[in-house]
Amino acid sequence: MTKTIKITPFADQKPGTSGLRKKVPVFQTPGYTEAFIQSIFDSLEGYAGTTLVIGGDGRYYNREVIQTAIRMAAANGFGRVLVGQGGILSTPAASHLIRKNEAFGGLILSASHNPGGPNEDFGLKYNVANGGPAPEKLTDAIYSRSKVIDRYLIEDFDDVDLDRIGTFEAGGMIIEVINPVTDYAELMETLFDFDAIRAMIAGGFRATFDAMHAVTGPYAKEILVRRLGADPALVLNAVPLEDFGGHHPDPNLVHAKALYDTMMSADAPDFGAASDGDGDRNLIIGKGVFVNPSDSLAMLAANAHLAPGYKAGLKGIARSMPTSGAADRVAEKLGVEMHETPTGWKFFGNLLDAGRCTICGEESAGTGSDHVREKDGLWAILLWLNILAVRRQSVSDIVNDHWATYGRTFYSRHDYEAIESEKANHLMKALEDRLPELPGQSVGSLTVERADSFTYHDPVDGSISRNQGLRILFEGGARLVFRLSGTGTSGATLRVYMERHEPDPALHQQEAQAALAPVIEAAETLAGIRERTGRDAPTVIT
Ligand code: G16
């Protein structure tokens, strides 16, 4: 029976860079989760009788919200839901399922790389029929609706057994509990040369993967171990846990330090990789060499034609604005379009749908292609493996060769996490106010050429997104970007992105922080980070 439950709206349901992310106790506030889900449904049109995909990264509270979402989908008139067994679906697998089944959309329950547990983070986002995150127009509509919503609809039936694969009927709706891995693994087989990768591994190539106790464990076991023959002992932390074993499932050099240390040791495997909470991010480390995500995007784009799914070449490349310009040089050489979008995978959707780009990437450890409409951690790892199998060179050789061809773009991001929102806003405002007077000014050894607040004009639908980060471009091509993260759940996170291109191969082996020292100094001089935030050093340097 459908029940209509009265509620008072919540003022804080504004989706961020990737859906709504809050602490678990906030989502547990009576009516909170329901109000947000109903605001999503109320912002959609024409879904009666259609299919909705539901799944999450397995974090604490995942199962409870999935039961609520299923009951609400039934009450609101969906005809069928597809839900991953155990409530599990990686974000790219969910994107693929939406596309493959021509679903109306999907609810993805994840706070990505943020920690999980009773007092940690939870998240909820809606993906549209192309499999990608809801565009800004829709997230704005959801937020507007959430401010006035006064009721939600829910069916009254027993919990669905999420652990049993099968088809059930409840509340007038079909519920299919499906294997979360099978369809995704099949898609990967169509894109990559599994025989070549299998032969490389059989020949003694050692690949290790850290699933960080997050969603990719089952995917890695099926694809890397069962289908490609990788040593199961080298697939680490493969059991998804509600609290990710107490760690941050964030594949960076801080939270995947054990993997990094292994890869820097004398008897390191040939290839090391990790993914995040919901399986859309990737970390790539060769023996003795970390590949920064901006470089990884450029290297994957330059070599993608070596994999069967991309042998026809690329239609174009897209990157988020704060991502380094390394990929631009590849696009130029290939003679294909290059697009610069705001941070957030949702901005790639239109370009991919319109066939304006094939590969996209972000500095925040995300790379993907037009096979789905999300970034895809295992996809990036498999593309690297495919390239390694064809080129028969080490990661380090491929990296050095790329730099020799295109020059090296030194790149780093400094994060100042959980600073007071007011302080962060003041810092950004003060810097923005100064932008018009900066061109021509010297900052240490650098001279400002141009400074602006990034505005994106979507070439496909003409929409305009303003205030997407402050850019300071120096003569000679060095660049500094400031923006506030849209994914944190406590206070504000200031991100400062630095880059500098170095054409001379004799200077390519410098350490990134040293190579970027003048740009790092300029960041402090221009924004007064220490004084304004009270922080002496960044929380995380990547
Ligand atoms: C999300 C978005 C990405 C974005 C990243 C960081 O990733 O999907 O597009 O680059 O957040 O965003 P911010 O700098 O605003 O924190 P994920 O993996 O968290 O879903």
Side-chain angles (χ1 to χ4, degrees), residues 17 21 112 281 344-345 362 364 375 483 485-487 495:
T17 308
R21 292 188 188 166
S112 187
R281 296 186 175 207
W345 206 263
E362 293 186 282
S364 56
K375 55 189 186 276
R483 64 179 279 281
S485 158
T487 56
R495 302 206 195 283

Side-chain angles (χ1 to χ4, degrees), residues 58-192:
R59 66 180 56 230
Y60 185 86
Y61 210 42
N62 193 55
R63 284 174 176 263
E64 289 84 344
V65 175
I66 284 184
Q67 299 290 354
T68 302
I70 293 173
R71 289 192 187 98
M72 289 184 65
N76 280 276
F78 279 95
R80 181 173 75 137
V81 298
L82 294 178
V83 54
Q85 187 181 24
I88 294 278
L89 279 181
S90 79
T91 291
S95 182
H96 176 52
L97 281 173
I98 294 170
R99 296 167 67 76
K100 188 178 172 203
N101 293 282
E102 295 180 359
F104 191 86
L107 284 175
I108 303 181
L109 286 53
S110 171
S112 187
H113 52 289
N114 296 3
N119 292 306
E120 298 294 353
D121 292 1
F122 192 79
L124 190 48
K125 71 169 178 169
Y126 180 73
N127 279 31
V128 294
N130 75 352
E136 264 193 340
K137 211 171 109 203
L138 181 51
T139 54
D140 288 349
I142 294 168
Y143 179 44
S144 301
R145 179 69 191 143
S146 76
K147 288 191 278 192
V148 295
I149 196 159
D150 59 358
R151 58 93 187 93
Y152 66 86
L153 308 180
I154 191 158
E155 281 291 325
D156 195 10
F157 52 75
D158 288 345
D159 275 2
V160 173
D161 183 354
L162 294 176
D163 296 311
R164 194 152 57 92
I165 288 191
T167 303
F168 315 96
E169 195 272 327
M173 186 178 76
I174 304 291
I175 300 157
E176 285 180 36
V177 178
I178 58 171
N179 181 307
V181 180
T182 313
D183 292 296
Y184 177 81
E186 276 165 15
L187 175 65
M188 293 301 114
E189 294 236 24
T190 68
L191 299 173
F192 303 117

